[in-house]
Amino acid sequence: MDLRTLNRTTLQRQLLLGRSSGLSPYEAIRHLVALQGQDPNPPYLGLWSRLESFTLDALTGLLHGRQVVRSSLLRGTQHLCAAEDYVWLRPLMQAPMSRARQGSFGRATRDLDLEQFAKHARELLEGRTLTRPELAALLMERYPGYDKLALGWSAQALLPLVHTPPNGTWNRRGATPFTLAEEWIGRPVESAPPVERLITRYLAAFGPATVKDVQTWSGLTRLREVMEAMPLRRHGELYDLPDAPVADPGTPAPARFLPWFDNLVIAHADRSRLMSEQARRRVCPGGSLVYPTFLVDGIVGGIWDFVDGDLVILPFDPVADDDAAELTAEGGRMLAFAGFEAGSVTWMPPHDGTTTTWPPSTWPGPR
């Protein structure tokens, strides 16, 4: 499969070749499996770029209605997903979350009986919501001498917890609240969900993909034997669902803005279907940072952000006049969606990322 066909197929499955009018926000979240949610606003912007007539209240209502939950999931990072998916997705994430906890806090908690610790943390959360610092302070009373940060993060890694609204809704930040998932959702998590379910859902939204792609996105390991045993279609090293459509490579790709941490940008080990290696290094410069990007003809063309009520666009290379006009119009619509009706679209000169001024020292963080 050539790169252009792969690009168009992925964009089609990501609802980025044309905004969907047939999917509700809830159905779109289920299709996309989970939305990256370290910051509250990116999931809203990601859905706006993919759905017709999407409003802020649509997602906020799903969070307050407990149909969608926010929690530590893929790769141990915060995501939004449907509650009915959380109950099987969270147990599959226990192994990578335990590895991450051990790597960060294993030494600080080496004498801790983790099973007993998790039981005590659950007892402290039964029937109430606590922030991580509040929970850690209570755990310190039972486990004096341990690092407070290690106790709070260990509880988060070992227990199925959700972060309840209004925290995590549009522009609402602050200390992360913890609530037992089974109490918030009203049902326990599954005991042994099949990993094939996760692979199937990933391919439907991000495929075709390699084994490494699935592992990069999920944080799981040793999936090759599992995928080879599944009834999947093969395109060389790429796996796909047997009946999944392949897009016409000639399909036009409209201008689109992707928010901070958008899953599409980090959902594959090989990101050449979406950007060059040089662009990848600029968009994902290390650590957990993933800049918001814009697409020109389906390919990442640069980064953007809201700055003092305006939309600032920084291209990596010169953008053709027609493409720039399309992006400016799309950017104006995004400003209005985000509540910056009086804002304007500002273009910065192309920046090739080869000097010490990259990334811009004044470039803001997610907000």
Side-chain angles (χ1 to χ4, degrees), residues 107-171:
R107 179 173 296 182
T109 59
R110 60 182 177 273
D111 299 324
L112 202 62
D113 182 331
L114 294 181
E115 184 175 348
Q116 191 68 19
F117 170 82
K119 179 182 177 181
H120 287 160
R122 177 183 293 275
E123 291 171 352
L124 290 171
L125 284 164
E126 286 177 349
R128 60 176 172 174
T129 297
L130 298 169
T131 65
R132 186 189 296 115
E134 289 172 339
L135 176 59
L138 292 174
L139 287 168
M140 284 283 290
E141 296 177 8
R142 294 194 178 189
Y143 301 95
Y146 285 92
D147 179 75
K148 183 178 180 180
L149 186 64
L151 293 178
W153 278 98
S154 292
Q156 182 175 355
L158 296 171
L159 293 176
L161 305 174
V162 296
H163 312 316
T164 53
N167 179 273
T169 58
W170 182 261
N171 280 338

Side-chain angles (χ1 to χ4, degrees), residues 17 34 39 42 62 95 117 128-129 134 173 177 196 213 240 242 254 266 272 277 279 284 286 308 323 334 347 354 361:
L17 286 185
D39 190 72
L62 290 173
F117 170 82
R128 60 176 172 174
T129 297
E134 289 172 339
R173 299 173 177 84
E196 290 86 352
D213 290 334
D240 205 2
I266 54 177
S272 59
E277 177 58 23
C284 311
D308 298 326
D323 293 327
M334 186 169 64
W347 286 80
T354 59
S361 59

Side-chain angles (χ1 to χ4, degrees), residues 31-32 46 52 55 74 115 157 160 170 176 193 224 237 251 255 266 275 295 314-315 318 330 332 334 367:
H31 170 71
L32 298 168
E52 286 189 4
T55 64
L74 302 170
E115 184 175 348
W170 182 261
T176 303
R224 181 169 297 280
E237 290 296 312
T251 305
I266 54 177
M275 68 188 98
L295 304 181
L314 175 58
E330 178 77 349
M334 186 169 64
R367 56 179 172 173

Side-chain angles (χ1 to χ4, degrees), residues 263-324:
N263 277 26
L264 175 59
V265 179
I266 54 177
H268 304 90
D270 178 359
R271 299 169 198 178
S272 59
R273 72 182 71 194
L274 193 68
M275 68 188 98
S276 67
E277 177 58 23
Q278 184 184 37
R280 185 200 64 77
R281 290 195 298 268
R282 286 179 262 170
V283 171
C284 311
S288 59
L289 186 63
V290 181
Y291 282 113
T293 60
F294 64 85
L295 304 181
V296 176
D297 192 29
I299 301 298
V300 170
I303 65 176
W304 65 272
D305 203 5
F306 297 125
V307 182
D308 298 326
D310 294 329
L311 172 61
V312 178
I313 300 176
L314 175 58
F316 296 152
D317 300 292
V319 177
D321 291 344
D322 289 348
D323 293 327

Side-chain angles (χ1 to χ4, degrees), residues 35-76:
L35 300 175
Q36 198 101 8
Q38 289 102 310
D39 190 72
N41 292 354
Y44 289 84
L45 295 168
L47 288 172
W48 175 82
S49 286
R50 291 169 166 91
L51 300 176
E52 286 189 4
S53 305
F54 176 72
T55 64
L56 296 176
D57 289 342
L59 178 54
T60 300
L62 290 173
L63 287 163
H64 279 283
R66 308 191 185 193
Q67 295 164 278
V68 171
V69 296
R70 184 170 180 246
S71 180
S72 297
L73 289 169
L74 302 170
R75 305 177 305 282

